[in-house]
Amino acid sequence: MIELETSDGRLYSAILTVNTYAKQTQNLEEGWQDRGGQLEQLLVPGQMLFLYGTFFPEQQTSFEVNFIVFAGDSKDDHRYAEPGWWIRQIDSIATSYIKWQFNAPTDPIDYSNYRTLISLTGGKKEEDYLQETDTISRMVYGMASAYMLTGKDEFLEAAEKGTEYLRDKMRFVDTDTGLIYWYHGQKVSSGGQEQKLLVSEFGDDYDSIPAYEQIYALAGPIQTYRLSGDPRILDDAEKTIDLFDQYFRDDEKGGYYSHIHAVTLSAHEESLGRNRAKKNWNSVGDHAPAYLINLWLATEQDRYKVMLEDTFDTICAHFPDYDESPFVQEKFFDDWSKDQTWGWQQNRAVVGHNLKIAWNLMRFQAVQPKDSYVALAEKIAQLMPDVGYDKQRFGWYDVVDRVLQPGQRFHRYAWHDRKAWWQQEQGILAYLILQGHLPETSSYKKYADESAAFYNAFFLDNNDGGVYFNVLASGIPYLMGTERFKGSHSMSAYHSTELCFLSTVYLDLMIEKRPLDLFFKPLPNGFADRILRVSPDMLPAGSVRITSCLIDGQSYSNFDAERLTVQLPDSETRLQVKVTLTPN
């Protein structure tokens, strides 16, 4: 018998039987990590583990353990913090997606073969299919991020071909205004005919142009721009931001409208129905993580920093609602009064959106420090474990009621107590970055460790590759409906690869203080003034420096170690740049 203490300090007695088996958390591409013969050494005070078993409600209720998953091989060891853990994971995920989508490397990477829907095992429909702009863009983001961490050319090829496909098939240039719009996607018939879809086909946004679809159309291309400096991508971004400023922006009251009409480009058309003159988290806050932070990292142009500051100031001004709820308010009328009757959301909170705000506030805090940013990020980080977290099994819940009803202690789940992969990402990154900025606060490490342990123990699909969309509260994969898929309107190679990319950055450069290698492949005269900016994320000033640079395998010294820039040589050919960043 062992005694288990939960995250919130409750004790359970657990009985190990002759049939109890145990394993270590295994990364993608790893085999079974058996630990059944090492229980005496591993079952020590302070060891993090997961027990799965059965409660027997007899005269004295007993809990008998079927199996054990260990988070590490000692009480101070968590596998997710191992050097290279997340790099190996992103390598595997990216490899799976280019195999599923294109049968690479056997066949060439060709985005005409791209499918939005991908089955659990990587299968896809061959005829009459939809290609959604945002899912392509999100996959491109994953490929570009995988290249930056691994330097593998197949990932760069997938990122650049995907970006080119988006520009060729999904981009609409208004020659009268110079603005750029992105199609929702295109339908491809069995005969190969393509039908462009300007307005969204997704139920929440049907027959409108939603802000978040335009926002995420830029996610992949901008991450690719960081590698290549392709000026055409920058031009697309600038003209899409012009679209946001001209038609989505509320110049009078601030923020961005969530939807506009496809013909008049107005947010105030009656036909928009429940989306008329509305603002929400996605239309205001998603600019930053989707593309805007990465665009500033690549250019350091004031326009993007000003837009970021306005975004975060808007969030701090309007989203907190702590007199009424421990959760932020997410949907608004155009005067910033609360919309608590919209569709499925009603007066409910998406746990991951709260965590995403905390994470991104701390990113921007590194380059534009404000007390209001840290205060809101810490407020969220202190509240969420009590209202959106599973303190028995770890992991973050999905959608919950924002307000308790009389007699209730726990915020009710809107539909289920399942846990989605993308919300685990937000929790892990929020507490990792807070731990990096504020290491003296022990709770940030606690929830980073627990969240990452839960994710790596239960979300990785060690049979077919990639990660599961949802798991049950216990961690068992939930494989029903669209949540069974590896590709859908909601899922592509994005959040899982973003998690790998930024967990590597925060762990290596902020927490564990390890050197990190990054790869770039700039085009000849792509970046302005041939300046390559290599900071992988917004990091505290002076915390990291360049200690090594190789160009095409040869040592290169023309870089600014403190500003994290490389002055590229004048070249008529493409260069591969490898930099090593080392924490100060």
Side-chain angles (χ1 to χ4, degrees), residues 7 385 389 391 396 427 431 443-452:
S7 178
Y389 186 68
K391 289 191 171 183
W396 300 96
Y431 285 92
S443 62
Y444 298 149
K445 174 174 170 52
K446 167 185 167 67
Y447 290 112
D449 285 346
E450 292 178 0
S451 300

Side-chain angles (χ1 to χ4, degrees), residues 416-432:
H416 56 71
D417 64 350
R418 300 195 291 274
K419 301 164 184 173
W421 96 106
W422 75 268
Q423 304 210 47
Q424 311 316 305
E425 180 213 6
Q426 310 308 313
I428 295 167
L429 294 180
Y431 285 92
L432 280 177

Side-chain angles (χ1 to χ4, degrees), residues 260-301:
I260 60 175
H261 189 271
V263 177
T264 66
L265 304 180
S266 169
H268 298 274
E269 292 289 343
E270 292 287 346
S271 62
L272 290 172
R274 65 181 181 178
N275 293 321
R276 178 179 178 270
K278 299 291 182 67
K279 299 163 187 172
N280 61 28
W281 153 253
N282 300 103
S283 67
V284 176
D286 262 347
H287 293 273
Y291 72 91
L292 198 51
I293 285 175
N294 291 321
L295 190 52
W296 183 84
L297 287 166
T299 65
E300 294 187 11
Q301 289 187 17

Side-chain angles (χ1 to χ4, degrees), residues 22-56:
K23 74 162 195 168
Q24 174 67 275
T25 294
Q26 63 193 97
N27 207 346
L28 294 172
E29 311 294 337
E30 288 185 349
W32 180 269
Q33 306 287 306
D34 190 79
R35 295 295 184 272
Q38 299 169 245
L39 296 185
E40 291 287 343
Q41 295 80 31
L42 292 173
L43 292 175
V44 297
Q47 175 72 271
M48 184 185 290
L49 48 75
F50 301 92
L51 304 181
Y52 187 91
T54 307
F55 284 96
F56 290 95

Side-chain angles (χ1 to χ4, degrees), residues 90 135-147 159 163 216 218-224 226 289-291 294 359 363 425 493-499 501-502 536:
I90 198 174
T135 61
I136 295 175
S137 181
R138 285 165 162 166
M139 176 168 163
V140 168
Y141 172 94
M143 299 302 115
S145 300
Y147 178 80
T163 298
Y216 276 101
L218 294 176
I222 295 305
Q223 191 75 334
T224 304
R226 294 177 66 187
Y291 72 91
N294 291 321
W359 160 44
R363 297 172 85 182
E425 180 213 6
Y494 178 61
H495 289 292
S496 58
T497 54
E498 182 181 51
L499 173 59
F501 179 70
L502 289 172

Side-chain angles (χ1 to χ4, degrees), residues 404-416:
L404 293 173
Q405 298 303 312
Q408 293 180 351
R409 288 179 52 212
F410 301 98
H411 289 262
R412 296 304 196 255
Y413 313 120
W415 304 287
H416 56 71

Side-chain angles (χ1 to χ4, degrees), residues 212-513:
Y212 82 90
E213 288 192 358
Q214 302 299 305
I215 287 168
Y216 276 101
L218 294 176
I222 295 305
Q223 191 75 334
T224 304
Y225 175 75
R226 294 177 66 187
L227 307 175
S228 70
D230 186 338
R232 299 175 305 158
I233 300 175
L234 181 60
D235 185 63
D236 289 345
E238 289 173 342
K239 290 175 179 175
T240 306
I241 294 174
D242 290 342
L243 172 73
F244 293 133
D245 286 346
Q246 189 162 336
Y247 291 111
F248 285 94
R249 173 94 182 149
D250 181 350
D251 291 320
E252 179 184 351
K253 305 180 194 72
Y256 295 86
Y257 290 112
S258 61
H259 299 77
I260 60 175
H261 189 271
V263 177
T264 66
L265 304 180
S266 169
H268 298 274
E269 292 289 343
E270 292 287 346
S271 62
L272 290 172
R274 65 181 181 178
N275 293 321
R276 178 179 178 270
K278 299 291 182 67
K279 299 163 187 172
N280 61 28
W281 153 253
N282 300 103
S283 67
V284 176
D286 262 347
H287 293 273
Y291 72 91
L292 198 51
I293 285 175
N294 291 321
L295 190 52
W296 183 84
L297 287 166
T299 65
E300 294 187 11
Q301 289 187 17
D302 285 343
R303 180 187 187 186
Y304 311 133
K305 187 176 179 182
V306 168
M307 187 175 172
L308 282 164
E309 185 174 10
D310 176 69
T311 293
F312 290 116
D313 287 350
T314 300
I315 289 170
C316 289
H318 297 294
F319 283 62
D321 188 35
Y322 295 124
D323 290 338
E324 301 294 331
S325 169
F327 299 97
V328 298
Q329 175 67 30
E330 299 179 42
K331 291 193 181 292
F332 305 88
F333 296 99
D334 70 342
D335 64 356
W336 291 107
S337 58
K338 295 183 283 191
D339 179 4
Q340 296 184 338
T341 62
W342 184 92
W344 59 264
Q345 183 130 28
Q346 301 293 305
N347 192 17
R348 297 169 180 146
V350 181
V351 175
H353 288 166
N354 289 261
L355 297 164
K356 199 171 188 179
I357 289 171
W359 160 44
N360 282 281
L361 281 168
M362 295 308 297
R363 297 172 85 182
F364 193 55
Q365 168 70 13
V367 299
Q368 185 66 55
K370 287 190 182 182
D371 291 344
S372 57
Y373 298 163
V374 178
L376 181 52
E378 289 208 89
K379 178 84 170 179
I380 291 170
Q382 289 158 10
L383 287 171
M384 283 306 102
D386 288 332
V387 295
Y389 186 68
D390 185 340
K391 289 191 171 183
Q392 179 165 313
R393 293 156 293 207
F394 307 163
W396 300 96
Y397 290 119
D398 185 7
V399 179
V400 300
D401 289 346
R402 295 181 67 254
V403 177
L404 293 173
Q405 298 303 312
Q408 293 180 351
R409 288 179 52 212
F410 301 98
H411 289 262
R412 296 304 196 255
Y413 313 120
W415 304 287
H416 56 71
D417 64 350
R418 300 195 291 274
K419 301 164 184 173
W421 96 106
W422 75 268
Q423 304 210 47
Q424 311 316 305
E425 180 213 6
Q426 310 308 313
I428 295 167
L429 294 180
Y431 285 92
L432 280 177
I433 197 170
L434 281 160
Q435 180 187 348
H437 279 273
L438 304 165
E440 67 278 5
T441 305
S442 60
S443 62
Y444 298 149
K445 174 174 170 52
K446 167 185 167 67
Y447 290 112
D449 285 346
E450 292 178 0
S451 300
F454 183 84
Y455 179 86
N456 283 285
F458 299 113
F459 275 88
L460 308 186
D461 184 348
N462 296 108
N463 294 311
D464 296 305
V467 304
Y468 297 113
F469 188 114
N470 259 351
V471 300
L472 302 177
S474 62
I476 301 300
Y478 178 81
L479 304 175
M480 300 285 285
T482 57
E483 294 168 51
R484 176 182 176 85
F485 297 158
K486 298 287 174 58
S488 66
H489 171 80
S490 303
M491 189 182 210
S492 188
Y494 178 61
H495 289 292
S496 58
T497 54
E498 182 181 51
L499 173 59
C500 293
F501 179 70
L502 289 172
S503 291
T504 299
V505 171
Y506 300 154
L507 281 165
D508 285 1
L509 299 182
M510 297 179 71
I511 298 171
E512 301 294 339
K513 305 293 187 180

